[in-house]
Amino acid sequence: MPRTTVARIDTSAIRHNYRLACERAGPARAMAVIKADGYGHGIAAVAKALAEDAPRYAVACLEEALAVREAGLSQPVVMLQGPHQQDDMAVFARQGFQPVLHSHYQLEWLRALQTAPAFWLKVNTGMNRLGFPPQDLAAQVEPLLNAAVTRSALQGFVTHFSCADDPASPETAEQTRRLCQATARWPHLEKSVGNSAAHFLAEQPLFDWSRPGIMLYGSSPVIGRTGPELGLRAAMTLEAPLIATRTLKAGDRVGYGGSWVAERDTRMGMVAVGYGDGYPRHAGTDTPAAVRGRRIRLIGRVSMDMLAVDLSSVPEARDGDSVELWGPQVSVDEVAAHAGTIGYELLTGVTARVPRLYR
């Protein structure tokens, strides 16, 4: 029998979160971002769960887009990094993939085609990762609009916010201003600006297409807020069994380095999950978990295949009980905060040895 460490995926939660994104996007339509294997939830399963709701998907690379087609879905797929090599362009045209072009070499590949796919241009408004500078945009757009192959294929403009997770930052408004100023000459072309965090910014315009990502999976995109506080439902429940329980005596140490010492007699349990499964090694003592519907805490260091929990608050817990590491009772954002990281990393980092079970 395989061990019962599993990631349970609630596809109804993904649909709930997508619909919330649509509500918060106002007049904008929402393309569902399902890159990184659906943020660790399984790209095919996520795409199918949203098939009746999402008019468009967004991914990072060609392999991810092809997985959508292999799942039997025909919606347009936006390629957020554009082509990685010239041959990709012809595949995009055949498959209905829409690249976001950010560099001159990608435009050269586009111009070499006889039939161009629908495509977007990336505008660097301040993130300073990818994109054309606003002051150079006209030099890129006008030749595309004057060429027969590309004139009708240009969909519009994409930018990415650097500080939308911080509602107090003025940078998002400034990036919005830069984009509007740079694209004012082409009001007929669409704009896509809204990452997950932007959906929760008061009075932030999301224009034509928003791009909800992490919020689809129930994790918070906003500094200082958890997913449940934003009305999001956890899509993944990471759970593992208690494989041993015992009572430690005062003075007993637990785990590598003996970093945690019992101050009094303490009921302890060992849980069959660790950093080999993607649970963060840097989540230490006091990181929350839950068993039998009540919250407990980690103690000591996380090992590759196990971690220890304090069962003082649930003395009736027994070997074989299932422990929730994150899910509806314990937000992944709480665990991430204890580990000094973000929910994105935890969800995408659950390893392949953890089965995904869908409902």
Side-chain angles (χ1 to χ4, degrees), residues 12-74:
S12 69
I14 297 172
R15 287 192 292 273
H16 165 85
N17 297 334
Y18 176 80
R19 290 166 184 168
L20 179 62
C22 291
E23 291 175 13
R24 301 197 66 91
R29 289 170 289 176
M31 62 177 79
V33 182
I34 58 174
K35 61 182 180 175
D37 196 29
Y39 285 60
H41 294 67
I43 189 169
V46 172
K48 288 179 179 179
L50 295 175
E52 294 184 4
D53 293 284
R56 195 169 293 188
Y57 300 110
V59 301
C61 60
L62 180 57
E63 292 82 359
E64 294 170 342
L66 290 173
V68 174
R69 292 291 179 263
E70 290 166 4
L73 302 172
S74 59

Side-chain angles (χ1 to χ4, degrees), residues 222-264:
V222 181
I223 293 173
R225 305 286 298 279
T226 66
E229 290 172 345
L230 297 173
L232 302 171
R233 287 171 47 191
M236 178 190 291
T237 301
L238 180 64
E239 60 182 49
L242 283 172
I243 57 172
T245 57
R246 64 171 56 84
T247 298
L248 301 170
K249 295 188 178 300
D252 283 350
R253 297 176 179 271
V254 173
Y256 287 115
S259 59
W260 186 84
V261 182
E263 296 179 354
R264 58 183 181 278

Side-chain angles (χ1 to χ4, degrees), residues 23-177:
E23 291 175 13
R24 301 197 66 91
R29 289 170 289 176
M31 62 177 79
V33 182
I34 58 174
K35 61 182 180 175
D37 196 29
Y39 285 60
H41 294 67
I43 189 169
V46 172
K48 288 179 179 179
L50 295 175
E52 294 184 4
D53 293 284
R56 195 169 293 188
Y57 300 110
V59 301
C61 60
L62 180 57
E63 292 82 359
E64 294 170 342
L66 290 173
V68 174
R69 292 291 179 263
E70 290 166 4
L73 302 172
S74 59
Q75 284 95 325
V77 182
V78 174
M79 313 294 299
L80 295 174
Q81 292 183 9
H84 290 180
Q85 53 190 0
Q86 187 167 4
D87 291 346
D88 292 349
M89 295 296 288
V91 179
F92 295 171
R94 289 197 305 270
Q95 293 284 355
F97 301 155
Q98 300 182 358
V100 178
L101 306 181
H102 56 78
S103 295
H104 294 286
Y105 70 87
Q106 294 177 327
L107 292 179
E108 290 303 316
W109 293 346
L110 179 71
R111 293 187 182 101
L113 296 173
Q114 293 184 342
T115 301
F119 68 97
W120 301 74
L121 293 181
K122 185 70 169 281
V123 185
N124 177 20
T125 59
M127 186 72 164
N128 289 317
R129 295 192 310 188
L130 302 174
F132 298 100
Q135 64 271 21
D136 294 343
L137 198 57
Q140 313 308 323
V141 173
E142 291 303 328
L144 294 169
L145 293 180
N146 290 328
V149 172
T150 54
R151 182 183 303 122
S152 61
L154 177 56
Q155 302 296 292
F157 307 99
V158 171
T159 199
H160 195 58
F161 292 141
S162 61
C163 299
D165 58 341
D166 181 2
S169 173
E171 181 60 18
T172 304
E174 178 59 21
Q175 285 189 255
T176 303
R177 185 196 65 78

